[in-house]
Amino acid sequence: MPRPLAPAGRLFVAAAFLEGFTWTGLLIGMGLKYGAQTTELGVKIFGPLHGAAFVFYVAVTALSALRLRWPWWATLLALLAAVPPLVTVPLEIGFRRMGLLADKA
């Protein structure tokens, strides 16, 4: 039976989802702005939201790495996952399966 998520693990899950959600909105907004050339509204809304979500994700990653005592490679992987679009969500799923987000007790 999987162990329950630690508070820092639950926060990491939320941050990873938020980062992925805002990436999706920004990508759709960029498609509308540059592809369809219809509106800039999506970029105006999701650009700043994604910037804030990215900073939040990086801060939560650092906190989670310290609190959950991640190995160096997991911390580096989590930080790198924020750069390409939509990688934080599958990374979070993988970390959950590996037990990196669970209580150590």
Side-chain angles (χ1 to χ4, degrees):
M1 180 173 200
R3 293 178 294 180
L5 296 182
R10 286 193 301 274
L11 187 60
F12 182 79
V13 169
F17 175 79
L18 181 64
E19 203 274 342
F21 176 77
T22 60
W23 244 130
T24 302
L26 184 57
L27 290 172
I28 292 169
M30 288 178 3
L32 291 173
K33 180 178 179 179
Y34 299 111
Q37 297 181 348
T38 55
T39 181
E40 295 182 13
L41 189 61
V43 174
K44 285 184 180 180
I45 292 171
F46 281 98
L49 287 176
H50 178 65
F54 176 84
V55 172
F56 178 66
Y57 175 82
V58 169
V60 168
T61 296
L63 174 78
S64 298
L66 292 171
R67 293 260 171 101
L68 299 172
R69 297 185 180 140
W70 287 350
W72 67 269
W73 59 265
T75 305
L76 180 62
L77 194 60
L79 291 171
L80 290 175
V83 178
L86 308 174
V87 177
T88 58
V89 174
L91 176 98
E92 173 269 315
I93 293 168
F95 275 18
R96 187 188 300 238
R97 288 181 181 160
M98 288 186 269
L100 291 172
L101 304 178
D103 279 323
K104 301 296 182 203

